[in-house]
Every structure is written in structure tokens, then in C-alpha cells.
Amino acid sequence: MRTAVYPGSFDPVTFGHLDIIERSSKMVDRLIVGVLDNGLKNPLFSVEERVTMLEEVTSHLPNVTVTSFHGLLVDFARQCGAGLVVRGLRAITDFEYELQMSQTNRIMCPQLDTIFLTTDLRYAYLSSHTVREVGRFGGDLSAFVPPVIVEQVLKKFGHTDLIEGKQELEDKDEQD
Ligand code: PNS
């Protein structure tokens, strides 16, 4: 059985991540999305929240599971029985860091290979940082993340008035 891990911070998951998950899950028998929980100093979402959100948006993919991990990626991959790491490449600016990381991982664990998928052009500009920045100021997130994530980001920043469907619900309550 071919198992791969797709590690990241996913704070929060974006359409770009989802595209990589959908495409890479077709290439392997099992894809384990690993949410690093010692990576970010001040994450917007707790690791549990990030795992839950990823589970929701990948629920249509039967061979994808989501879990968190501590410490080194090579140890996580070993525990999962994975021989492959999947990473997305958006632009040449990602390349240096990704190359360094994959080479370091291969030195520590020569059996572990990293495969890179080029991000769909529609999402080449997109990052979780962008989503947090736009969400902070109540901007429209619908092009960047699935609706359930839009709601979670807006809630985090206290923009509950902007959550779609909320106004209709309130109007209905008043009429009843
Ligand atoms: O989404 P990100 O933040 O770009 O993901 C980075 C991640 C989680 C893949 C990377 O930071 C990672 O693997 N961290 C675990 C520690 C580790 O094994 N580092 C690799 C040696 S350089």
C-alpha cells in the first residue's frame, strides 16, 4: 500500500491546499494530512480546530485522513508508514525553502522521498497568511477558502455580522 503524508500548518486550510490534497490523494492508496502543532508561534486556530476544519473539507475523499503531529516530519512519516511526502509549489520563491527541507529530510531518512505538485494557477498567489489578513478586516474570503472555513475565520475575528445566511436567519426570527 502506497502511503503519503501531506504536512503543513494549515492555519487555515485554503483552496490551494485542498487542490493539492485532491490531486495527490488520487496518486496514492492513503494520504495522511499532518497538521504540525509545534510550528507556529501565534496560530489563529488551535491545532484541534485546524484538524477539524481539514476533516470537514476533505470528508468527500475516502482515502484521506487528518491528524496532528509533533516534532520532526521524518518521524511522523515513519510512524505513518509513509514513503512519500507531498508538498505544493506555488512559485520559485517557495523552491529554495522546499528544496532545503526535502534534502534535510532525505539525509535524515533516505527512504523518504518528497514529491512536489505545482499549485493550480488559480491559487498561485494564495496563502493562509493572505486569508488571515483579509479575514482580519472582514474582506470577502469566498475565492480563497470553502464556505465552512470562511465562517470560522470571520468568527475568529469577531465579524459574525458578515457570516452568510446570518441576516436571513435573523430576519426570519423577527417575522416568527
Ligand atoms: O505549511 P508550512 O508551514 O509551510 O509547513 C511546514 C512544515 C510543517 C512542512 C515543516 O515546517 C515541517 O515539516 N516541520 C516539522 C519539523 C521538521 O521536520 N523540519 C524539517 C527539517 S528542515
Side-chain angles (χ1 to χ4, degrees), residues 43-106:
L44 178 61
F45 291 99
S46 71
V47 74
E48 293 81 12
E49 288 170 325
R50 284 179 270 154
V51 167
T52 304
M53 289 189 290
L54 271 156
E55 280 173 345
E56 281 186 52
V57 297
T58 59
S59 60
H60 60 296
L61 302 167
N63 65 338
V64 174
T65 52
V66 185
T67 185
S68 60
F69 75 100
H70 270 290
L72 289 176
L73 175 59
V74 288
D75 293 331
F76 174 62
R78 220 177 269 132
Q79 282 155 21
C80 295
L84 282 178
V85 174
V86 175
R87 292 285 289 170
L89 271 184
R90 285 168 302 189
I92 198 74
T93 42
D94 282 342
F95 186 72
E96 204 172 315
Y97 167 64
E98 293 296 336
L99 188 68
Q100 187 184 28
M101 199 162 64
S102 66
Q103 286 174 338
T104 309
N105 286 337
R106 245 176 77 76

Side-chain angles (χ1 to χ4, degrees), residues 11-12 14 44-45 126-145 149-163:
D11 190 36
T14 67
L44 178 61
F45 291 99
L126 183 56
S127 69
S128 298
H129 177 259
T130 307
V131 173
R132 294 195 299 272
E133 202 62 13
V134 176
R136 184 185 309 278
F137 299 106
D140 182 1
L141 293 171
S142 58
F144 311 142
V145 294
I149 311 296
V150 173
E151 200 176 310
Q152 294 305 318
V153 175
L154 291 176
K155 252 191 216 160
K156 268 287 173 202
F157 287 116
H159 298 301
T160 44
D161 52 317
L162 297 174
I163 294 174

Side-chain angles (χ1 to χ4, degrees), residues 168-176:
E168 286 91 320
L169 283 175
E170 279 173 1
D171 292 348
K172 192 176 170 297
D173 280 351
E174 271 168 33
Q175 283 161 20
D176 288 348

